[in-house]
């Protein structure tokens, strides 16, 4: 029998400018699956942290990203400005 709807997730890491998919893992939504896609992305990009990381704010992202890249920078929006900070 097929897995119930929503049992598998596409964990995708892509290059923002080109929209090239650098790494993808299809698994259940677990910290281990997220760790796998982040580790694969880092391996393929020489361990250099991407300039921009966007998530859906799932709690599993922060510890996995900190483990891989070691620092967190959150840029605050200035009131009244649209789009991402420079």
């Amino acid at each position: 029998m097929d897995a119930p709807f929503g049992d598998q997730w596409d964990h995708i890491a892509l290059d923002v400018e080109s929209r090239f998919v650098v790494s993808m893992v299809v698994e259940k939504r677990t910290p281990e699956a997220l760790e796998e896609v982040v580790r694969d992305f880092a391996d393929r990009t020489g361990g250099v942290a991407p300039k921009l990381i966007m998530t859906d704010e799932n709690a599993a992202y922060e510890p996995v990203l900190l483990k891989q890249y070691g620092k967190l920078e959150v840029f605050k929006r200035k009131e009244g400005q649209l789009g991402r900070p420079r």
Side-chain angles (χ1 to χ4, degrees):
M1 180 174 204
D2 291 335
F5 178 76
D7 198 38
Q8 299 294 314
W9 287 74
D10 294 337
H11 301 79
I12 299 172
L14 57 96
D15 175 70
V16 176
E17 291 180 13
S18 68
R19 303 210 187 251
F20 177 78
V21 175
V22 178
S23 185
M24 184 171 111
V25 173
V26 179
E27 289 187 20
K28 291 185 179 188
R29 191 172 194 195
T30 64
E32 294 79 20
L34 178 60
E35 200 167 318
E36 184 180 343
V37 77
V38 169
R39 183 176 45 249
D40 185 62
F41 181 88
D43 289 347
R44 292 171 185 264
T45 58
V48 177
K51 292 179 184 177
L52 174 67
I53 297 174
M54 295 173 31
T55 73
D56 62 0
E57 297 185 16
N58 182 298
Y61 289 101
E62 188 173 340
V64 170
L65 291 167
L66 285 173
K67 179 180 175 183
Q68 181 64 51
Y69 296 112
K71 69 177 184 174
L72 175 66
E73 291 182 51
V74 178
F75 298 95
K76 302 285 183 191
R77 288 182 188 233
K78 292 183 181 175
E79 194 167 323
Q81 289 187 338
L82 299 175
R84 71 175 190 246
R86 293 190 183 273

PDB file of all heavy atoms in Angstrom, residues 13 22-23 25 34-50 68-69:
ATOM      1  N   ALA A  13      17.882  22.138  -1.737  1.00  0.00           N
ATOM      2  CA  ALA A  13      18.817  23.247  -1.569  1.00  0.00           C
ATOM      3  C   ALA A  13      19.191  23.704  -2.970  1.00  0.00           C
ATOM      4  O   ALA A  13      19.676  22.910  -3.779  1.00  0.00           O
ATOM      5  CB  ALA A  13      20.055  22.793  -0.798  1.00  0.00           C
ATOM      6  N   VAL A  22      20.994  22.196  -6.289  1.00  0.00           N
ATOM      7  CA  VAL A  22      22.311  21.683  -5.917  1.00  0.00           C
ATOM      8  C   VAL A  22      22.174  20.351  -5.190  1.00  0.00           C
ATOM      9  O   VAL A  22      22.963  19.434  -5.389  1.00  0.00           O
ATOM     10  CB  VAL A  22      23.070  22.703  -5.029  1.00  0.00           C
ATOM     11  CG1 VAL A  22      24.412  22.159  -4.599  1.00  0.00           C
ATOM     12  CG2 VAL A  22      23.227  24.033  -5.774  1.00  0.00           C
ATOM     13  N   SER A  23      21.170  20.224  -4.357  1.00  0.00           N
ATOM     14  CA  SER A  23      20.999  19.015  -3.557  1.00  0.00           C
ATOM     15  C   SER A  23      19.524  18.794  -3.275  1.00  0.00           C
ATOM     16  O   SER A  23      18.782  19.754  -3.062  1.00  0.00           O
ATOM     17  CB  SER A  23      21.770  19.160  -2.249  1.00  0.00           C
ATOM     18  OG  SER A  23      21.731  17.977  -1.513  1.00  0.00           O
ATOM     19  N   VAL A  25      16.866  15.751  -1.252  1.00  0.00           N
ATOM     20  CA  VAL A  25      16.645  14.510  -0.521  1.00  0.00           C
ATOM     21  C   VAL A  25      15.133  14.341  -0.369  1.00  0.00           C
ATOM     22  O   VAL A  25      14.452  15.271   0.066  1.00  0.00           O
ATOM     23  CB  VAL A  25      17.322  14.550   0.870  1.00  0.00           C
ATOM     24  CG1 VAL A  25      16.948  13.338   1.702  1.00  0.00           C
ATOM     25  CG2 VAL A  25      18.831  14.669   0.727  1.00  0.00           C
ATOM     26  N   LEU A  34      17.010  16.632   6.961  1.00  0.00           N
ATOM     27  CA  LEU A  34      17.495  17.994   6.787  1.00  0.00           C
ATOM     28  C   LEU A  34      19.021  18.037   6.890  1.00  0.00           C
ATOM     29  O   LEU A  34      19.690  18.677   6.079  1.00  0.00           O
ATOM     30  CB  LEU A  34      16.870  18.915   7.832  1.00  0.00           C
ATOM     31  CG  LEU A  34      17.333  20.361   7.788  1.00  0.00           C
ATOM     32  CD1 LEU A  34      17.014  20.995   6.448  1.00  0.00           C
ATOM     33  CD2 LEU A  34      16.709  21.141   8.915  1.00  0.00           C
ATOM     34  N   GLU A  35      19.562  17.317   7.847  1.00  0.00           N
ATOM     35  CA  GLU A  35      21.016  17.260   8.009  1.00  0.00           C
ATOM     36  C   GLU A  35      21.672  16.677   6.752  1.00  0.00           C
ATOM     37  O   GLU A  35      22.715  17.148   6.313  1.00  0.00           O
ATOM     38  CB  GLU A  35      21.358  16.412   9.236  1.00  0.00           C
ATOM     39  CG  GLU A  35      22.732  16.675   9.770  1.00  0.00           C
ATOM     40  CD  GLU A  35      22.922  16.062  11.156  1.00  0.00           C
ATOM     41  OE1 GLU A  35      22.014  16.152  11.996  1.00  0.00           O
ATOM     42  OE2 GLU A  35      24.005  15.498  11.358  1.00  0.00           O
ATOM     43  N   GLU A  36      21.039  15.672   6.159  1.00  0.00           N
ATOM     44  CA  GLU A  36      21.579  15.053   4.945  1.00  0.00           C
ATOM     45  C   GLU A  36      21.636  16.040   3.785  1.00  0.00           C
ATOM     46  O   GLU A  36      22.641  16.132   3.086  1.00  0.00           O
ATOM     47  CB  GLU A  36      20.732  13.839   4.570  1.00  0.00           C
ATOM     48  CG  GLU A  36      21.260  13.080   3.382  1.00  0.00           C
ATOM     49  CD  GLU A  36      20.405  11.871   3.030  1.00  0.00           C
ATOM     50  OE1 GLU A  36      19.586  11.424   3.867  1.00  0.00           O
ATOM     51  OE2 GLU A  36      20.560  11.365   1.910  1.00  0.00           O
ATOM     52  N   VAL A  37      20.564  16.806   3.575  1.00  0.00           N
ATOM     53  CA  VAL A  37      20.561  17.749   2.454  1.00  0.00           C
ATOM     54  C   VAL A  37      21.530  18.906   2.706  1.00  0.00           C
ATOM     55  O   VAL A  37      22.222  19.356   1.795  1.00  0.00           O
ATOM     56  CB  VAL A  37      19.135  18.250   2.114  1.00  0.00           C
ATOM     57  CG1 VAL A  37      18.634  19.283   3.087  1.00  0.00           C
ATOM     58  CG2 VAL A  37      19.081  18.789   0.698  1.00  0.00           C
ATOM     59  N   VAL A  38      21.640  19.379   3.942  1.00  0.00           N
ATOM     60  CA  VAL A  38      22.573  20.464   4.266  1.00  0.00           C
ATOM     61  C   VAL A  38      24.013  19.985   4.098  1.00  0.00           C
ATOM     62  O   VAL A  38      24.853  20.681   3.528  1.00  0.00           O
ATOM     63  CB  VAL A  38      22.326  21.014   5.689  1.00  0.00           C
ATOM     64  CG1 VAL A  38      23.440  21.946   6.131  1.00  0.00           C
ATOM     65  CG2 VAL A  38      20.988  21.731   5.741  1.00  0.00           C
ATOM     66  N   ARG A  39      24.311  18.782   4.558  1.00  0.00           N
ATOM     67  CA  ARG A  39      25.658  18.224   4.431  1.00  0.00           C
ATOM     68  C   ARG A  39      26.023  18.020   2.952  1.00  0.00           C
ATOM     69  O   ARG A  39      27.116  18.367   2.515  1.00  0.00           O
ATOM     70  CB  ARG A  39      25.761  16.905   5.195  1.00  0.00           C
ATOM     71  CG  ARG A  39      27.144  16.289   5.184  1.00  0.00           C
ATOM     72  CD  ARG A  39      27.257  15.018   6.039  1.00  0.00           C
ATOM     73  NE  ARG A  39      26.149  14.088   5.839  1.00  0.00           N
ATOM     74  CZ  ARG A  39      25.208  13.817   6.743  1.00  0.00           C
ATOM     75  NH1 ARG A  39      25.215  14.408   7.919  1.00  0.00           N
ATOM     76  NH2 ARG A  39      24.249  12.951   6.481  1.00  0.00           N
ATOM     77  N   ASP A  40      25.080  17.493   2.161  1.00  0.00           N
ATOM     78  CA  ASP A  40      25.337  17.293   0.740  1.00  0.00           C
ATOM     79  C   ASP A  40      25.570  18.625   0.034  1.00  0.00           C
ATOM     80  O   ASP A  40      26.484  18.761  -0.780  1.00  0.00           O
ATOM     81  CB  ASP A  40      24.174  16.543   0.094  1.00  0.00           C
ATOM     82  CG  ASP A  40      24.446  16.216  -1.357  1.00  0.00           C
ATOM     83  OD1 ASP A  40      25.418  15.455  -1.616  1.00  0.00           O
ATOM     84  OD2 ASP A  40      23.703  16.696  -2.230  1.00  0.00           O
ATOM     85  N   PHE A  41      24.756  19.627   0.363  1.00  0.00           N
ATOM     86  CA  PHE A  41      24.928  20.959  -0.227  1.00  0.00           C
ATOM     87  C   PHE A  41      26.312  21.513   0.121  1.00  0.00           C
ATOM     88  O   PHE A  41      27.017  22.027  -0.745  1.00  0.00           O
ATOM     89  CB  PHE A  41      23.840  21.910   0.276  1.00  0.00           C
ATOM     90  CG  PHE A  41      23.934  23.289  -0.304  1.00  0.00           C
ATOM     91  CD1 PHE A  41      23.311  23.584  -1.501  1.00  0.00           C
ATOM     92  CD2 PHE A  41      24.632  24.298   0.340  1.00  0.00           C
ATOM     93  CE1 PHE A  41      23.393  24.860  -2.058  1.00  0.00           C
ATOM     94  CE2 PHE A  41      24.723  25.567  -0.196  1.00  0.00           C
ATOM     95  CZ  PHE A  41      24.098  25.848  -1.400  1.00  0.00           C
ATOM     96  N   ALA A  42      26.704  21.388   1.381  1.00  0.00           N
ATOM     97  CA  ALA A  42      28.014  21.892   1.810  1.00  0.00           C
ATOM     98  C   ALA A  42      29.144  21.159   1.088  1.00  0.00           C
ATOM     99  O   ALA A  42      30.118  21.790   0.648  1.00  0.00           O
ATOM    100  CB  ALA A  42      28.165  21.747   3.322  1.00  0.00           C
ATOM    101  N   ASP A  43      29.016  19.850   0.934  1.00  0.00           N
ATOM    102  CA  ASP A  43      30.041  19.082   0.213  1.00  0.00           C
ATOM    103  C   ASP A  43      30.166  19.544  -1.234  1.00  0.00           C
ATOM    104  O   ASP A  43      31.268  19.671  -1.761  1.00  0.00           O
ATOM    105  CB  ASP A  43      29.715  17.583   0.229  1.00  0.00           C
ATOM    106  CG  ASP A  43      29.895  16.936   1.588  1.00  0.00           C
ATOM    107  OD1 ASP A  43      30.515  17.565   2.488  1.00  0.00           O
ATOM    108  OD2 ASP A  43      29.401  15.798   1.760  1.00  0.00           O
ATOM    109  N   ARG A  44      29.056  19.814  -1.870  1.00  0.00           N
ATOM    110  CA  ARG A  44      29.054  20.198  -3.288  1.00  0.00           C
ATOM    111  C   ARG A  44      29.510  21.648  -3.506  1.00  0.00           C
ATOM    112  O   ARG A  44      29.878  22.014  -4.618  1.00  0.00           O
ATOM    113  CB  ARG A  44      27.665  20.001  -3.886  1.00  0.00           C
ATOM    114  CG  ARG A  44      27.262  18.550  -3.986  1.00  0.00           C
ATOM    115  CD  ARG A  44      25.794  18.425  -4.384  1.00  0.00           C
ATOM    116  NE  ARG A  44      25.355  17.059  -4.361  1.00  0.00           N
ATOM    117  CZ  ARG A  44      25.319  16.270  -5.437  1.00  0.00           C
ATOM    118  NH1 ARG A  44      25.693  16.728  -6.603  1.00  0.00           N
ATOM    119  NH2 ARG A  44      24.893  15.031  -5.329  1.00  0.00           N
ATOM    120  N   THR A  45      29.456  22.465  -2.468  1.00  0.00           N
ATOM    121  CA  THR A  45      29.826  23.883  -2.614  1.00  0.00           C
ATOM    122  C   THR A  45      31.095  24.232  -1.846  1.00  0.00           C
ATOM    123  O   THR A  45      31.350  25.401  -1.559  1.00  0.00           O
ATOM    124  CB  THR A  45      28.667  24.789  -2.147  1.00  0.00           C
ATOM    125  OG1 THR A  45      28.350  24.486  -0.788  1.00  0.00           O
ATOM    126  CG2 THR A  45      27.438  24.608  -3.028  1.00  0.00           C
ATOM    127  N   GLY A  46      31.892  23.233  -1.512  1.00  0.00           N
ATOM    128  CA  GLY A  46      33.160  23.481  -0.832  1.00  0.00           C
ATOM    129  C   GLY A  46      33.027  23.952   0.595  1.00  0.00           C
ATOM    130  O   GLY A  46      33.947  24.557   1.142  1.00  0.00           O
ATOM    131  N   GLY A  47      31.886  23.718   1.231  1.00  0.00           N
ATOM    132  CA  GLY A  47      31.696  24.097   2.628  1.00  0.00           C
ATOM    133  C   GLY A  47      31.466  25.575   2.855  1.00  0.00           C
ATOM    134  O   GLY A  47      31.418  26.033   3.994  1.00  0.00           O
ATOM    135  N   VAL A  48      31.318  26.327   1.776  1.00  0.00           N
ATOM    136  CA  VAL A  48      31.083  27.771   1.899  1.00  0.00           C
ATOM    137  C   VAL A  48      29.605  28.012   2.192  1.00  0.00           C
ATOM    138  O   VAL A  48      28.730  27.515   1.476  1.00  0.00           O
ATOM    139  CB  VAL A  48      31.487  28.507   0.597  1.00  0.00           C
ATOM    140  CG1 VAL A  48      31.178  29.989   0.696  1.00  0.00           C
ATOM    141  CG2 VAL A  48      32.953  28.261   0.297  1.00  0.00           C
ATOM    142  N   ALA A  49      29.330  28.758   3.239  1.00  0.00           N
ATOM    143  CA  ALA A  49      27.940  29.055   3.594  1.00  0.00           C
ATOM    144  C   ALA A  49      27.286  29.900   2.508  1.00  0.00           C
ATOM    145  O   ALA A  49      27.896  30.828   1.984  1.00  0.00           O
ATOM    146  CB  ALA A  49      27.888  29.794   4.930  1.00  0.00           C
ATOM    147  N   PRO A  50      26.047  29.583   2.151  1.00  0.00           N
ATOM    148  CA  PRO A  50      25.344  30.403   1.164  1.00  0.00           C
ATOM    149  C   PRO A  50      25.084  31.803   1.706  1.00  0.00           C
ATOM    150  O   PRO A  50      24.989  32.001   2.918  1.00  0.00           O
ATOM    151  CB  PRO A  50      24.042  29.648   0.915  1.00  0.00           C
ATOM    152  CG  PRO A  50      23.906  28.696   2.029  1.00  0.00           C
ATOM    153  CD  PRO A  50      25.244  28.471   2.632  1.00  0.00           C
ATOM    154  N   GLN A  68      26.548  22.868  10.764  1.00  0.00           N
ATOM    155  CA  GLN A  68      27.289  22.827   9.500  1.00  0.00           C
ATOM    156  C   GLN A  68      28.122  24.088   9.276  1.00  0.00           C
ATOM    157  O   GLN A  68      29.264  24.013   8.865  1.00  0.00           O
ATOM    158  CB  GLN A  68      26.323  22.640   8.323  1.00  0.00           C
ATOM    159  CG  GLN A  68      27.004  22.561   6.978  1.00  0.00           C
ATOM    160  CD  GLN A  68      27.907  21.351   6.853  1.00  0.00           C
ATOM    161  OE1 GLN A  68      27.495  20.229   7.123  1.00  0.00           O
ATOM    162  NE2 GLN A  68      29.142  21.554   6.468  1.00  0.00           N
ATOM    163  N   TYR A  69      27.544  25.261   9.524  1.00  0.00           N
ATOM    164  CA  TYR A  69      28.206  26.514   9.152  1.00  0.00           C
ATOM    165  C   TYR A  69      28.721  27.338  10.329  1.00  0.00           C
ATOM    166  O   TYR A  69      29.507  28.254  10.129  1.00  0.00           O
ATOM    167  CB  TYR A  69      27.274  27.355   8.279  1.00  0.00           C
ATOM    168  CG  TYR A  69      26.970  26.675   6.961  1.00  0.00           C
ATOM    169  CD1 TYR A  69      25.703  26.211   6.671  1.00  0.00           C
ATOM    170  CD2 TYR A  69      27.966  26.483   6.018  1.00  0.00           C
ATOM    171  CE1 TYR A  69      25.431  25.581   5.469  1.00  0.00           C
ATOM    172  CE2 TYR A  69      27.706  25.848   4.814  1.00  0.00           C
ATOM    173  CZ  TYR A  69      26.432  25.409   4.551  1.00  0.00           C
ATOM    174  OH  TYR A  69      26.173  24.782   3.354  1.00  0.00           O
TER     175      TYR A  69
END
